[in-house]
Amino acid sequence: MEIFDKARELGEAIVESNEYKTLKLAEAKQEQDEEAMKLLEEYRDIRRQLGEEINKGDVSEERMKEIREAVEEAYEKVTTNDTIVEFLNAQSAFQAIIDQMNTIISYHITGKIPGGCGGSCDGCAGCH
């Protein structure tokens, strides 16, 4: 069916895009960076711990403050690690491409731009 052929072509074009290639390289680099992986794991553990304690329901204000500070400290470490920042930037750029494609597809299905068209074409993926 032609629609599936177009979907396959789109998938192939996505995989060949610079944004996807950059994302995959940044992802591989991050996975090979022991320090980055350690920071991410610590951040996940602290967030998980915070969630568990909140779900218990009777967490003291002092304990909440301690955990919140630990989360903020871990987040600061994560967001200042060059390898992680490179990955997050690549992920953001790739997501922007996916969002633009979804807008274009949505427009051609509904005739409307999600969120509306303000008339300015600056930064627009193209609806007119």
Side-chain angles (χ1 to χ4, degrees), residues 14-31:
I14 290 169
V15 169
E16 291 301 317
S17 72
N18 287 335
E19 292 81 5
Y20 181 80
K21 290 176 181 178
T22 300
L23 174 62
K24 295 315 274 181
L25 287 171
E27 181 179 42
K29 182 177 177 182
Q30 179 176 278
E31 289 173 355

Side-chain angles (χ1 to χ4, degrees), residues 49-96:
Q49 182 182 0
L50 175 63
E52 288 173 359
E53 293 204 25
I54 288 173
N55 287 335
K56 288 179 187 175
D58 55 340
V59 182
S60 72
E61 280 295 318
E62 184 177 320
R63 180 65 182 139
M64 284 296 292
K65 182 180 178 190
E66 289 172 2
I67 294 172
R68 200 173 303 117
E69 288 173 358
V71 168
E72 289 173 7
E73 182 180 325
Y75 181 77
E76 176 71 24
K77 288 178 184 177
V78 164
T79 59
T80 57
N81 178 280
D82 291 340
T83 303
I84 295 171
V85 169
E86 181 180 336
F87 172 75
L88 293 174
N89 289 338
Q91 191 175 47
S92 179
F94 179 72
Q95 187 60 51

Side-chain angles (χ1 to χ4, degrees), residues 4-16:
F4 296 115
D5 291 336
K6 297 291 184 188
R8 181 187 47 74
E9 288 174 21
L10 178 58
E12 290 171 355
I14 290 169
V15 169
E16 291 301 317

